[in-house]
Amino acid sequence: MTELTARSLQGVRCAADIIKASHQAVVLSGAGISTPSGIPDFRSSHGGLWERYDPYEVASLSAFRYNPGRFFDWLRPLAHTLLSAQPNPAHFSLARLESAGIIKTIITQNIDRLHQRAGSSNVLEIHGSLDTMTCVGCFHQFAAEEYIQAYLRESLIPVCPHCHSVLKPDVILYGEQLPHRTWLKAMEASKTCDLMIVIGSSLEVLPVAGLPMRAVENGAHLIIMNRTETYIDVRADVVFGEDVAEILPLIVKEVLGD
Ligand SMILES: [Zn+2]
């Protein structure tokens, strides 16, 4: 563990006090909470796993319709990484705060289901997840794991057992609308919370980037944990730039007094 500065320690105490005083805390999580679990941020990483394709070209709705084979080829390393990743101490810390009745909702941009696997139950997946797939022909929904495993093993592109159309993972692709009901719940949670904790999101993409502003404008406190600066740092009560898998457990320890 890296040595925390006096300023960070003060931040930990300050964040813990704000969390303890809150009644309606909401978390907004992005790729940065899952990088300690070995999942790279595929939107911002250059090279590495996804260097063969530009995700904007392959992982868009029109590209999927035009060439699903290319999409699944792009998805292969991501699916492989997601299926083998494990929740890290940051995910577990949030699950503890949810069981303690402090965190009411987690709004996540991640499709990895690591929050749920760590024990959180009230999770709004605004970019969908790889857990299910939907037929583009008859709109039947299927559990995805079996199909994805078959793809990873034998490169079989998932097709619908009823109508033989391609199955599309229920992740939100570029150019696709956010899931309407989930998005409305995320907006409502942001408007009614008295504390928003942003974890591992650079808040660069609208409309999600607007959620913390909505919270702050309704009088909520704001805690930000992100490696890089965000546009709303100036409005935050506390800002952390450290590894979230180190900072969050310290804060939760302070909050729960253990
Ligand atoms: Zn079908």
PDB file of all heavy atoms in Angstrom, residues 62-88:
ATOM      1  N   SER A  62     -24.898   0.395 -35.434  1.00  0.00           N
ATOM      2  CA  SER A  62     -24.938   0.164 -36.883  1.00  0.00           C
ATOM      3  C   SER A  62     -23.853  -0.823 -37.303  1.00  0.00           C
ATOM      4  O   SER A  62     -24.078  -1.678 -38.160  1.00  0.00           O
ATOM      5  CB  SER A  62     -24.821   1.480 -37.651  1.00  0.00           C
ATOM      6  OG  SER A  62     -23.695   2.182 -37.213  1.00  0.00           O
ATOM      7  N   ALA A  63     -22.663  -0.733 -36.662  1.00  0.00           N
ATOM      8  CA  ALA A  63     -21.590  -1.675 -36.999  1.00  0.00           C
ATOM      9  C   ALA A  63     -21.992  -3.098 -36.611  1.00  0.00           C
ATOM     10  O   ALA A  63     -21.705  -4.054 -37.331  1.00  0.00           O
ATOM     11  CB  ALA A  63     -20.301  -1.288 -36.294  1.00  0.00           C
ATOM     12  N   PHE A  64     -22.699  -3.230 -35.476  1.00  0.00           N
ATOM     13  CA  PHE A  64     -23.150  -4.555 -35.040  1.00  0.00           C
ATOM     14  C   PHE A  64     -24.117  -5.136 -36.063  1.00  0.00           C
ATOM     15  O   PHE A  64     -24.009  -6.303 -36.445  1.00  0.00           O
ATOM     16  CB  PHE A  64     -23.815  -4.486 -33.669  1.00  0.00           C
ATOM     17  CG  PHE A  64     -24.317  -5.824 -33.207  1.00  0.00           C
ATOM     18  CD1 PHE A  64     -23.457  -6.720 -32.591  1.00  0.00           C
ATOM     19  CD2 PHE A  64     -25.637  -6.204 -33.418  1.00  0.00           C
ATOM     20  CE1 PHE A  64     -23.902  -7.977 -32.187  1.00  0.00           C
ATOM     21  CE2 PHE A  64     -26.091  -7.451 -33.010  1.00  0.00           C
ATOM     22  CZ  PHE A  64     -25.221  -8.343 -32.400  1.00  0.00           C
ATOM     23  N   ARG A  65     -25.057  -4.314 -36.513  1.00  0.00           N
ATOM     24  CA  ARG A  65     -26.044  -4.813 -37.483  1.00  0.00           C
ATOM     25  C   ARG A  65     -25.386  -5.195 -38.795  1.00  0.00           C
ATOM     26  O   ARG A  65     -25.735  -6.177 -39.422  1.00  0.00           O
ATOM     27  CB  ARG A  65     -27.099  -3.728 -37.735  1.00  0.00           C
ATOM     28  CG  ARG A  65     -27.978  -3.502 -36.522  1.00  0.00           C
ATOM     29  CD  ARG A  65     -29.339  -2.957 -36.934  1.00  0.00           C
ATOM     30  NE  ARG A  65     -30.232  -2.913 -35.784  1.00  0.00           N
ATOM     31  CZ  ARG A  65     -30.696  -1.781 -35.248  1.00  0.00           C
ATOM     32  NH1 ARG A  65     -30.379  -0.613 -35.802  1.00  0.00           N
ATOM     33  NH2 ARG A  65     -31.494  -1.818 -34.214  1.00  0.00           N
ATOM     34  N   TYR A  66     -24.381  -4.394 -39.193  1.00  0.00           N
ATOM     35  CA  TYR A  66     -23.730  -4.594 -40.480  1.00  0.00           C
ATOM     36  C   TYR A  66     -22.798  -5.791 -40.447  1.00  0.00           C
ATOM     37  O   TYR A  66     -22.728  -6.578 -41.389  1.00  0.00           O
ATOM     38  CB  TYR A  66     -22.956  -3.318 -40.835  1.00  0.00           C
ATOM     39  CG  TYR A  66     -22.223  -3.378 -42.135  1.00  0.00           C
ATOM     40  CD1 TYR A  66     -22.932  -3.392 -43.342  1.00  0.00           C
ATOM     41  CD2 TYR A  66     -20.825  -3.429 -42.168  1.00  0.00           C
ATOM     42  CE1 TYR A  66     -22.248  -3.461 -44.549  1.00  0.00           C
ATOM     43  CE2 TYR A  66     -20.150  -3.489 -43.363  1.00  0.00           C
ATOM     44  CZ  TYR A  66     -20.869  -3.497 -44.554  1.00  0.00           C
ATOM     45  OH  TYR A  66     -20.194  -3.563 -45.742  1.00  0.00           O
ATOM     46  N   ASN A  67     -22.065  -5.927 -39.318  1.00  0.00           N
ATOM     47  CA  ASN A  67     -21.067  -6.993 -39.255  1.00  0.00           C
ATOM     48  C   ASN A  67     -20.915  -7.532 -37.833  1.00  0.00           C
ATOM     49  O   ASN A  67     -19.958  -7.216 -37.139  1.00  0.00           O
ATOM     50  CB  ASN A  67     -19.725  -6.441 -39.768  1.00  0.00           C
ATOM     51  CG  ASN A  67     -18.727  -7.568 -40.024  1.00  0.00           C
ATOM     52  OD1 ASN A  67     -18.908  -8.694 -39.565  1.00  0.00           O
ATOM     53  ND2 ASN A  67     -17.672  -7.263 -40.753  1.00  0.00           N
ATOM     54  N   PRO A  68     -21.881  -8.376 -37.397  1.00  0.00           N
ATOM     55  CA  PRO A  68     -21.804  -8.883 -36.022  1.00  0.00           C
ATOM     56  C   PRO A  68     -20.539  -9.699 -35.757  1.00  0.00           C
ATOM     57  O   PRO A  68     -20.018  -9.704 -34.639  1.00  0.00           O
ATOM     58  CB  PRO A  68     -23.066  -9.751 -35.872  1.00  0.00           C
ATOM     59  CG  PRO A  68     -23.646  -9.919 -37.230  1.00  0.00           C
ATOM     60  CD  PRO A  68     -23.092  -8.829 -38.101  1.00  0.00           C
ATOM     61  N   GLY A  69     -20.006 -10.365 -36.800  1.00  0.00           N
ATOM     62  CA  GLY A  69     -18.791 -11.172 -36.619  1.00  0.00           C
ATOM     63  C   GLY A  69     -17.631 -10.323 -36.142  1.00  0.00           C
ATOM     64  O   GLY A  69     -16.865 -10.719 -35.257  1.00  0.00           O
ATOM     65  N   ARG A  70     -17.493  -9.154 -36.713  1.00  0.00           N
ATOM     66  CA  ARG A  70     -16.416  -8.253 -36.350  1.00  0.00           C
ATOM     67  C   ARG A  70     -16.620  -7.750 -34.918  1.00  0.00           C
ATOM     68  O   ARG A  70     -15.675  -7.623 -34.147  1.00  0.00           O
ATOM     69  CB  ARG A  70     -16.425  -7.073 -37.330  1.00  0.00           C
ATOM     70  CG  ARG A  70     -15.089  -6.456 -37.508  1.00  0.00           C
ATOM     71  CD  ARG A  70     -15.038  -5.651 -38.806  1.00  0.00           C
ATOM     72  NE  ARG A  70     -14.012  -4.634 -38.646  1.00  0.00           N
ATOM     73  CZ  ARG A  70     -14.246  -3.336 -38.582  1.00  0.00           C
ATOM     74  NH1 ARG A  70     -15.475  -2.885 -38.703  1.00  0.00           N
ATOM     75  NH2 ARG A  70     -13.263  -2.491 -38.415  1.00  0.00           N
ATOM     76  N   PHE A  71     -17.884  -7.477 -34.584  1.00  0.00           N
ATOM     77  CA  PHE A  71     -18.196  -7.047 -33.215  1.00  0.00           C
ATOM     78  C   PHE A  71     -17.780  -8.118 -32.204  1.00  0.00           C
ATOM     79  O   PHE A  71     -17.121  -7.828 -31.205  1.00  0.00           O
ATOM     80  CB  PHE A  71     -19.694  -6.744 -33.079  1.00  0.00           C
ATOM     81  CG  PHE A  71     -20.119  -6.549 -31.647  1.00  0.00           C
ATOM     82  CD1 PHE A  71     -19.970  -5.313 -31.026  1.00  0.00           C
ATOM     83  CD2 PHE A  71     -20.625  -7.610 -30.901  1.00  0.00           C
ATOM     84  CE1 PHE A  71     -20.334  -5.136 -29.692  1.00  0.00           C
ATOM     85  CE2 PHE A  71     -20.987  -7.442 -29.576  1.00  0.00           C
ATOM     86  CZ  PHE A  71     -20.845  -6.201 -28.973  1.00  0.00           C
ATOM     87  N   PHE A  72     -18.175  -9.372 -32.485  1.00  0.00           N
ATOM     88  CA  PHE A  72     -17.849 -10.442 -31.522  1.00  0.00           C
ATOM     89  C   PHE A  72     -16.345 -10.677 -31.457  1.00  0.00           C
ATOM     90  O   PHE A  72     -15.806 -11.008 -30.407  1.00  0.00           O
ATOM     91  CB  PHE A  72     -18.609 -11.728 -31.855  1.00  0.00           C
ATOM     92  CG  PHE A  72     -20.024 -11.703 -31.347  1.00  0.00           C
ATOM     93  CD1 PHE A  72     -21.084 -11.484 -32.212  1.00  0.00           C
ATOM     94  CD2 PHE A  72     -20.290 -11.858 -29.994  1.00  0.00           C
ATOM     95  CE1 PHE A  72     -22.392 -11.429 -31.730  1.00  0.00           C
ATOM     96  CE2 PHE A  72     -21.586 -11.808 -29.508  1.00  0.00           C
ATOM     97  CZ  PHE A  72     -22.644 -11.591 -30.381  1.00  0.00           C
ATOM     98  N   ASP A  73     -15.654 -10.479 -32.564  1.00  0.00           N
ATOM     99  CA  ASP A  73     -14.206 -10.602 -32.568  1.00  0.00           C
ATOM    100  C   ASP A  73     -13.591  -9.536 -31.647  1.00  0.00           C
ATOM    101  O   ASP A  73     -12.660  -9.804 -30.892  1.00  0.00           O
ATOM    102  CB  ASP A  73     -13.707 -10.435 -34.013  1.00  0.00           C
ATOM    103  CG  ASP A  73     -12.252 -10.844 -34.139  1.00  0.00           C
ATOM    104  OD1 ASP A  73     -11.802 -11.675 -33.324  1.00  0.00           O
ATOM    105  OD2 ASP A  73     -11.568 -10.330 -35.032  1.00  0.00           O
ATOM    106  N   TRP A  74     -14.151  -8.339 -31.719  1.00  0.00           N
ATOM    107  CA  TRP A  74     -13.697  -7.247 -30.836  1.00  0.00           C
ATOM    108  C   TRP A  74     -14.027  -7.558 -29.374  1.00  0.00           C
ATOM    109  O   TRP A  74     -13.252  -7.296 -28.464  1.00  0.00           O
ATOM    110  CB  TRP A  74     -14.388  -5.939 -31.257  1.00  0.00           C
ATOM    111  CG  TRP A  74     -14.188  -4.832 -30.255  1.00  0.00           C
ATOM    112  CD1 TRP A  74     -13.083  -4.042 -30.116  1.00  0.00           C
ATOM    113  CD2 TRP A  74     -15.113  -4.412 -29.241  1.00  0.00           C
ATOM    114  NE1 TRP A  74     -13.266  -3.150 -29.081  1.00  0.00           N
ATOM    115  CE2 TRP A  74     -14.495  -3.352 -28.528  1.00  0.00           C
ATOM    116  CE3 TRP A  74     -16.399  -4.818 -28.877  1.00  0.00           C
ATOM    117  CZ2 TRP A  74     -15.132  -2.708 -27.461  1.00  0.00           C
ATOM    118  CZ3 TRP A  74     -17.025  -4.172 -27.824  1.00  0.00           C
ATOM    119  CH2 TRP A  74     -16.391  -3.128 -27.127  1.00  0.00           C
ATOM    120  N   LEU A  75     -15.205  -8.174 -29.171  1.00  0.00           N
ATOM    121  CA  LEU A  75     -15.675  -8.445 -27.813  1.00  0.00           C
ATOM    122  C   LEU A  75     -14.857  -9.532 -27.114  1.00  0.00           C
ATOM    123  O   LEU A  75     -14.776  -9.576 -25.895  1.00  0.00           O
ATOM    124  CB  LEU A  75     -17.155  -8.875 -27.867  1.00  0.00           C
ATOM    125  CG  LEU A  75     -17.873  -9.060 -26.531  1.00  0.00           C
ATOM    126  CD1 LEU A  75     -18.086  -7.705 -25.857  1.00  0.00           C
ATOM    127  CD2 LEU A  75     -19.221  -9.744 -26.733  1.00  0.00           C
ATOM    128  N   ARG A  76     -14.250 -10.418 -27.914  1.00  0.00           N
ATOM    129  CA  ARG A  76     -13.586 -11.605 -27.354  1.00  0.00           C
ATOM    130  C   ARG A  76     -12.668 -11.304 -26.162  1.00  0.00           C
ATOM    131  O   ARG A  76     -12.899 -11.851 -25.070  1.00  0.00           O
ATOM    132  CB  ARG A  76     -12.843 -12.343 -28.461  1.00  0.00           C
ATOM    133  CG  ARG A  76     -12.063 -13.561 -27.999  1.00  0.00           C
ATOM    134  CD  ARG A  76     -11.233 -14.124 -29.123  1.00  0.00           C
ATOM    135  NE  ARG A  76     -12.076 -14.802 -30.109  1.00  0.00           N
ATOM    136  CZ  ARG A  76     -12.491 -16.070 -29.988  1.00  0.00           C
ATOM    137  NH1 ARG A  76     -12.136 -16.775 -28.942  1.00  0.00           N
ATOM    138  NH2 ARG A  76     -13.236 -16.614 -30.906  1.00  0.00           N
ATOM    139  N   PRO A  77     -11.645 -10.439 -26.316  1.00  0.00           N
ATOM    140  CA  PRO A  77     -10.761 -10.206 -25.147  1.00  0.00           C
ATOM    141  C   PRO A  77     -11.486  -9.546 -23.987  1.00  0.00           C
ATOM    142  O   PRO A  77     -11.205  -9.835 -22.823  1.00  0.00           O
ATOM    143  CB  PRO A  77      -9.655  -9.299 -25.693  1.00  0.00           C
ATOM    144  CG  PRO A  77     -10.185  -8.724 -26.959  1.00  0.00           C
ATOM    145  CD  PRO A  77     -11.218  -9.671 -27.496  1.00  0.00           C
ATOM    146  N   LEU A  78     -12.453  -8.676 -24.304  1.00  0.00           N
ATOM    147  CA  LEU A  78     -13.206  -8.007 -23.246  1.00  0.00           C
ATOM    148  C   LEU A  78     -14.031  -9.041 -22.471  1.00  0.00           C
ATOM    149  O   LEU A  78     -14.011  -9.075 -21.238  1.00  0.00           O
ATOM    150  CB  LEU A  78     -14.118  -6.940 -23.851  1.00  0.00           C
ATOM    151  CG  LEU A  78     -15.041  -6.197 -22.894  1.00  0.00           C
ATOM    152  CD1 LEU A  78     -14.253  -5.454 -21.824  1.00  0.00           C
ATOM    153  CD2 LEU A  78     -15.923  -5.198 -23.662  1.00  0.00           C
ATOM    154  N   ALA A  79     -14.738  -9.914 -23.200  1.00  0.00           N
ATOM    155  CA  ALA A  79     -15.576 -10.929 -22.556  1.00  0.00           C
ATOM    156  C   ALA A  79     -14.714 -11.852 -21.709  1.00  0.00           C
ATOM    157  O   ALA A  79     -15.064 -12.191 -20.577  1.00  0.00           O
ATOM    158  CB  ALA A  79     -16.327 -11.736 -23.622  1.00  0.00           C
ATOM    159  N   HIS A  80     -13.578 -12.225 -22.257  1.00  0.00           N
ATOM    160  CA  HIS A  80     -12.673 -13.116 -21.544  1.00  0.00           C
ATOM    161  C   HIS A  80     -12.226 -12.466 -20.226  1.00  0.00           C
ATOM    162  O   HIS A  80     -12.253 -13.088 -19.166  1.00  0.00           O
ATOM    163  CB  HIS A  80     -11.467 -13.415 -22.433  1.00  0.00           C
ATOM    164  CG  HIS A  80     -10.597 -14.483 -21.880  1.00  0.00           C
ATOM    165  ND1 HIS A  80     -10.930 -15.815 -21.957  1.00  0.00           N
ATOM    166  CD2 HIS A  80      -9.440 -14.409 -21.193  1.00  0.00           C
ATOM    167  CE1 HIS A  80      -9.997 -16.516 -21.350  1.00  0.00           C
ATOM    168  NE2 HIS A  80      -9.079 -15.691 -20.877  1.00  0.00           N
ATOM    169  N   THR A  81     -11.858 -11.187 -20.314  1.00  0.00           N
ATOM    170  CA  THR A  81     -11.413 -10.456 -19.122  1.00  0.00           C
ATOM    171  C   THR A  81     -12.547 -10.306 -18.113  1.00  0.00           C
ATOM    172  O   THR A  81     -12.368 -10.523 -16.916  1.00  0.00           O
ATOM    173  CB  THR A  81     -10.924  -9.039 -19.523  1.00  0.00           C
ATOM    174  OG1 THR A  81      -9.983  -9.177 -20.579  1.00  0.00           O
ATOM    175  CG2 THR A  81     -10.256  -8.339 -18.356  1.00  0.00           C
ATOM    176  N   LEU A  82     -13.739  -9.955 -18.605  1.00  0.00           N
ATOM    177  CA  LEU A  82     -14.872  -9.730 -17.702  1.00  0.00           C
ATOM    178  C   LEU A  82     -15.267 -11.002 -16.977  1.00  0.00           C
ATOM    179  O   LEU A  82     -15.578 -10.992 -15.786  1.00  0.00           O
ATOM    180  CB  LEU A  82     -16.081  -9.195 -18.472  1.00  0.00           C
ATOM    181  CG  LEU A  82     -15.954  -7.794 -19.072  1.00  0.00           C
ATOM    182  CD1 LEU A  82     -17.244  -7.406 -19.778  1.00  0.00           C
ATOM    183  CD2 LEU A  82     -15.626  -6.764 -18.001  1.00  0.00           C
ATOM    184  N   LEU A  83     -15.268 -12.130 -17.714  1.00  0.00           N
ATOM    185  CA  LEU A  83     -15.717 -13.384 -17.103  1.00  0.00           C
ATOM    186  C   LEU A  83     -14.733 -13.877 -16.043  1.00  0.00           C
ATOM    187  O   LEU A  83     -15.115 -14.605 -15.135  1.00  0.00           O
ATOM    188  CB  LEU A  83     -15.931 -14.459 -18.174  1.00  0.00           C
ATOM    189  CG  LEU A  83     -17.130 -14.220 -19.119  1.00  0.00           C
ATOM    190  CD1 LEU A  83     -17.223 -15.343 -20.144  1.00  0.00           C
ATOM    191  CD2 LEU A  83     -18.442 -14.106 -18.347  1.00  0.00           C
ATOM    192  N   SER A  84     -13.459 -13.482 -16.152  1.00  0.00           N
ATOM    193  CA  SER A  84     -12.501 -13.991 -15.164  1.00  0.00           C
ATOM    194  C   SER A  84     -12.185 -12.971 -14.064  1.00  0.00           C
ATOM    195  O   SER A  84     -11.514 -13.304 -13.100  1.00  0.00           O
ATOM    196  CB  SER A  84     -11.212 -14.449 -15.864  1.00  0.00           C
ATOM    197  OG  SER A  84     -10.723 -13.408 -16.666  1.00  0.00           O
ATOM    198  N   ALA A  85     -12.689 -11.717 -14.191  1.00  0.00           N
ATOM    199  CA  ALA A  85     -12.348 -10.682 -13.198  1.00  0.00           C
ATOM    200  C   ALA A  85     -13.084 -10.907 -11.882  1.00  0.00           C
ATOM    201  O   ALA A  85     -14.177 -11.470 -11.856  1.00  0.00           O
ATOM    202  CB  ALA A  85     -12.700  -9.310 -13.755  1.00  0.00           C
ATOM    203  N   GLN A  86     -12.455 -10.480 -10.808  1.00  0.00           N
ATOM    204  CA  GLN A  86     -13.048 -10.593  -9.465  1.00  0.00           C
ATOM    205  C   GLN A  86     -13.237  -9.203  -8.869  1.00  0.00           C
ATOM    206  O   GLN A  86     -12.439  -8.308  -9.135  1.00  0.00           O
ATOM    207  CB  GLN A  86     -12.120 -11.395  -8.538  1.00  0.00           C
ATOM    208  CG  GLN A  86     -11.866 -12.829  -8.980  1.00  0.00           C
ATOM    209  CD  GLN A  86     -13.141 -13.664  -9.021  1.00  0.00           C
ATOM    210  OE1 GLN A  86     -14.023 -13.481  -8.187  1.00  0.00           O
ATOM    211  NE2 GLN A  86     -13.254 -14.549 -10.006  1.00  0.00           N
ATOM    212  N   PRO A  87     -14.287  -9.020  -8.036  1.00  0.00           N
ATOM    213  CA  PRO A  87     -14.459  -7.718  -7.377  1.00  0.00           C
ATOM    214  C   PRO A  87     -13.228  -7.393  -6.522  1.00  0.00           C
ATOM    215  O   PRO A  87     -12.553  -8.304  -6.035  1.00  0.00           O
ATOM    216  CB  PRO A  87     -15.681  -7.925  -6.464  1.00  0.00           C
ATOM    217  CG  PRO A  87     -16.323  -9.201  -6.896  1.00  0.00           C
ATOM    218  CD  PRO A  87     -15.297 -10.006  -7.629  1.00  0.00           C
ATOM    219  N   ASN A  88     -12.941  -6.111  -6.374  1.00  0.00           N
ATOM    220  CA  ASN A  88     -11.783  -5.699  -5.560  1.00  0.00           C
ATOM    221  C   ASN A  88     -12.281  -5.011  -4.274  1.00  0.00           C
ATOM    222  O   ASN A  88     -13.499  -4.828  -4.085  1.00  0.00           O
ATOM    223  CB  ASN A  88     -10.843  -4.823  -6.406  1.00  0.00           C
ATOM    224  CG  ASN A  88     -11.472  -3.493  -6.764  1.00  0.00           C
ATOM    225  OD1 ASN A  88     -11.856  -2.716  -5.879  1.00  0.00           O
ATOM    226  ND2 ASN A  88     -11.603  -3.216  -8.056  1.00  0.00           N
TER     227      ASN A  88
END
